[in-house]
Amino acid sequence: MIAAISETDALSKVQDVLVALAIQEGFITEESLAIDATHFEARDKPEASVKKEQPAPKNGGESPKMSKQLGR
C-alpha cells in the first residue's frame, strides 16, 4: 500500500491542501514556511535495555562513622 501511494502524487496534493488551509486560517505565513524532508522510520522499536542489579554494600549501607561507633 505504501509503495502504491508513494508512486502517485496523492501525498503531495494532501500536503498542498493542508498548507493552503493553514495559511488561510492564519496558523502560518508564507514568509515562514519551510518543509523538512527528513525521513524517520518509526516502526522498529529498540529493545529495552536490561538493568543490572547493584551489588549489596559491603558495610550494610552504614556510613564509616556509624561503623566505627558500632565497633564494626
Side-chain angles (χ1 to χ4, degrees):
M1 180 85 164
I2 294 173
I5 292 173
S6 64
E7 291 174 4
T8 68
D9 63 342
L11 294 177
S12 178
K13 287 181 180 179
V14 169
Q15 180 179 349
D16 292 343
V17 170
L18 287 174
V19 169
L21 286 172
I23 291 171
Q24 181 181 354
E25 295 294 326
F27 290 110
I28 57 175
T29 63
E30 293 172 350
E31 293 108 24
S32 65
L33 180 62
I35 298 172
D36 183 8
T38 306
H39 175 77
F40 291 96
E41 188 67 35
R43 288 184 225 142
D44 298 328
K45 269 175 74 173
E47 292 183 18
S49 61
V50 178
K51 293 186 178 183
K52 296 179 184 177
E53 288 188 30
Q54 295 288 335
K58 294 179 183 177
N59 60 359
E62 299 171 351
S63 67
K65 189 174 185 179
M66 181 64 82
S67 296
K68 284 182 183 179
Q69 290 174 353
L70 295 174
R72 295 184 185 169

